[in-house]
Amino acid sequence: MAIDDRTAPSTPAPESTSGPNRRRSVPAEISRSWLLVAGTAADRFERAQRSRADQIILDIEDAVDPAAKPGARNTVASWLAGGGEAWVRINDVTTDFWADDVEELRGLPGLQGVMLAKTESPAQVTDTWHRLGGQTPVIALVESAVGIEESVSIAKAQGAFRLAFGSGDYRRDTGTSADTLAMAYPRSKLVVASRVGGLPGPIDGPTVGSSHPILREQSQVAVSLGLTGKLCLDTEQLPVINEVISPTPTDVAWAQDFLDDFEARGKVIRDGSDLPRLGRAQKIQRLAQAFGVEAR
């Protein structure tokens, strides 16, 4: 279970009422599952929006061939202008596509934010934020050794909303294996950088493949290191990710019991262990409300 309530709501998140399959609307600050959808796959946009994903990201970067990027950008922009709502993964600042990406997306009513690919400096985040009008949140996708080592300054950048880990590109850049121990350093670095920058917990990279046991294990490792979200490539992964990155019903029951007892004794702090337990119980309660987890 991951607990990070620095920006968690104090009341239950509202239910979305659009579409035939209502789903809970989770604030992006604490969103667990981030579903990537290729920007060329317009037929999947609506289905993704109705899925169990806390957030969807329309991808006009890695998922799109360079020759098809202008068309994908236009497809995504048209959908967002026509009532769709999503984040968009845009191309990195060093490419010829970045300026056109931010120009076409700027001011679109359905744009919830952007994920900036291959972020390696705070200036890249801030430039993107300003180009988009100074109000659109930017998730900095860190995918290289330089990005990892600059992650503290990136987290402090104006416009930075959350950090995310581009684990595949990081491995290609550094030659690191997919081994849990080998990948612990960059994940932990992003967790520490997020804390220093006052951001919510970072978003882990995707698990490739269809094995739910592997997905569950990798999600649990990410949570144990302090990450509070995860990118995913398939809607079938969503229930596993949402479950792992949520308080368990047992956690919620413990939190309710502790808070009830705390209230009954007049909110008296008895000893040094009460304060951290109170903080944990309050975090669990807020996240349980946001995610719809009930005690049992």
Side-chain angles (χ1 to χ4, degrees):
M1 178 196 59
I3 297 175
D4 186 330
D5 76 330
R6 273 164 277 165
T7 49
S10 58
T11 56
E15 295 283 344
S16 171
T17 56
S18 61
N21 299 320
R22 287 199 317 168
R23 64 181 179 89
R24 179 171 294 271
S25 178
V26 177
E29 293 89 344
I30 58 171
S31 286
R32 305 155 296 182
S33 51
W34 295 74
L35 177 63
L36 286 160
V37 181
T40 52
D43 59 319
R44 294 175 52 201
F45 294 175
E46 295 288 346
R47 186 164 69 252
Q49 195 172 44
R50 294 193 302 267
S51 74
R52 297 184 183 214
D54 288 345
Q55 304 292 331
I56 63 171
I57 306 171
L58 305 183
D59 188 1
I60 57 176
E61 193 239 355
D62 263 3
V64 180
D65 184 89
K69 286 183 187 288
R73 182 193 306 125
N74 182 259
T75 297
V76 167
S78 297
W79 189 75
L80 294 174
E85 293 184 350
W87 292 71
V88 179
R89 177 159 75 168
I90 62 174
N91 292 278
D92 73 89
V93 173
T94 66
T95 67
D96 295 332
F97 303 107
W98 172 79
D100 290 336
D101 287 350
V102 294
E103 179 65 27
E104 191 155 353
L105 293 172
R106 177 181 171 130
L108 293 179
L111 180 66
Q112 296 179 317
V114 299
M115 174 174 280
L116 178 62
K118 299 176 176 64
T119 305
E120 292 191 330
S121 76
Q124 293 174 344
V125 174
T126 301
D127 288 349
T128 300
W129 185 72
H130 280 302
R131 286 282 197 103
L132 288 166
Q135 294 183 327
T136 302
V138 178
I139 294 175
L141 183 62
V142 178
E143 308 183 69
S144 66
V146 170
I148 289 295
E149 291 308 294
E150 292 294 325
S151 59
V152 171
S153 58
I154 291 170
K156 293 180 177 180
Q158 187 178 30
F161 180 74
R162 284 179 81 168
L163 302 182
F165 186 30
S167 49
D169 279 349
Y170 173 82
R171 287 176 53 210
R172 283 188 286 274
D173 182 48
T174 62
T176 305
S177 76
D179 180 77
T180 296
L181 180 60
M183 295 292 276
Y185 171 74
R187 288 186 169 112
S188 294
K189 183 80 179 220
L190 293 180
V191 170
V192 173
S194 297
R195 184 70 182 116
V196 172
L199 303 183
I203 302 163
D204 193 27
T207 293
V208 178
S210 59
S211 170
H212 282 191
I214 292 176
L215 172 63
R216 180 175 295 277
E217 179 184 0
Q218 293 188 358
S219 299
Q220 289 170 337
V221 168
V223 166
S224 72
L225 292 170
L227 292 95
T228 60
K230 188 168 178 64
L231 296 171
C232 59
L233 307 173
D234 193 306
T235 55
E236 292 186 359
Q237 295 183 330
L238 296 171
V240 175
I241 292 171
N242 287 344
E243 178 190 343
V244 173
I245 313 181
S246 293
T248 67
T250 302
D251 291 325
V252 178
W254 171 84
Q256 288 182 356
D257 289 345
F258 180 88
L259 293 172
D260 288 345
D261 179 65
F262 182 66
E263 187 77 25
R265 65 174 187 260
K267 300 183 178 179
V268 174
I269 301 296
R270 298 167 298 189
D271 53 50
S273 66
D274 262 357
L275 278 176
R277 287 194 295 168
L278 175 62
R280 176 178 170 79
Q282 290 171 334
K283 291 176 183 180
I284 290 173
Q285 185 180 66
R286 284 193 287 266
L287 292 177
Q289 289 174 338
F291 301 150
V293 181
E294 297 182 357
R296 65 169 190 260

